[in-house]
Amino acid sequence: MQHPTLIRPENHATFQSEKMGKTTLFQSERMLVGLNCFEVGQEHALHAHKGMDKVYHVLEGAGLFLLEDRTIPMQAGEMLIAPEGIPHGIRNTETQRLVAVSYTHLRAHETREDLLFPGVGEKKNRGGGGGGGGGGG
């Protein structure tokens, strides 16, 4: 995708039955904008990043933002800002798909060493799926 260009992020959503779907909408040396796409019951497990913040903006659906000490109900139009070092994740607890844009510094996706909780940062499907790849986590 060439930028600058006007897009509707949800039109680029990709879903997978076994794990959260990911699509990279924009990538540079400074920033990664990704789309996280969840089927019913899927989640992006609790994890934190070293040296970078993350912003999630929910486009479609509803579910829970996961934090270390609590969960926060969320729905389309709402946003969560997770500063550096704050464990965060997303769970689709509803009966429809969930789509969220994530914004972060590109370095968050260069190495597993950037995760503060590398053993906890694995993406999973609460129904028994596996890991994730691509952009926007």
Side-chain angles (χ1 to χ4, degrees), residues 17-56:
S17 60
E18 69 282 356
K19 61 184 176 182
M20 169 185 69
K22 290 185 168 188
T23 303
T24 298
L25 299 174
F26 175 76
Q27 181 175 326
S28 73
E29 306 84 43
R30 297 162 303 282
M31 176 179 236
L32 178 65
V33 180
L35 203 58
N36 295 354
C37 308
F38 302 84
E39 294 285 4
V40 174
Q42 290 180 337
E43 79 173 43
H44 186 39
L46 199 65
H47 65 286
H49 301 282
K50 178 174 54 177
M52 61 211 66
D53 308 316
K54 184 178 282 182
V55 177
Y56 289 109

Side-chain angles (χ1 to χ4, degrees), residues 44-56 65-72 80-90 104 108 114-117 120-121 137:
H44 186 39
L46 199 65
H47 65 286
H49 301 282
K50 178 174 54 177
M52 61 211 66
D53 308 316
K54 184 178 282 182
V55 177
Y56 289 109
F65 283 123
L66 310 176
L67 299 173
E68 190 170 33
D69 59 348
R70 67 188 191 280
T71 59
I72 301 173
L80 176 81
I81 300 169
E84 177 210 1
I86 302 296
H88 57 276
I90 293 179
T104 192
D114 289 324
L115 287 174
L116 291 177
F117 305 106
V120 179

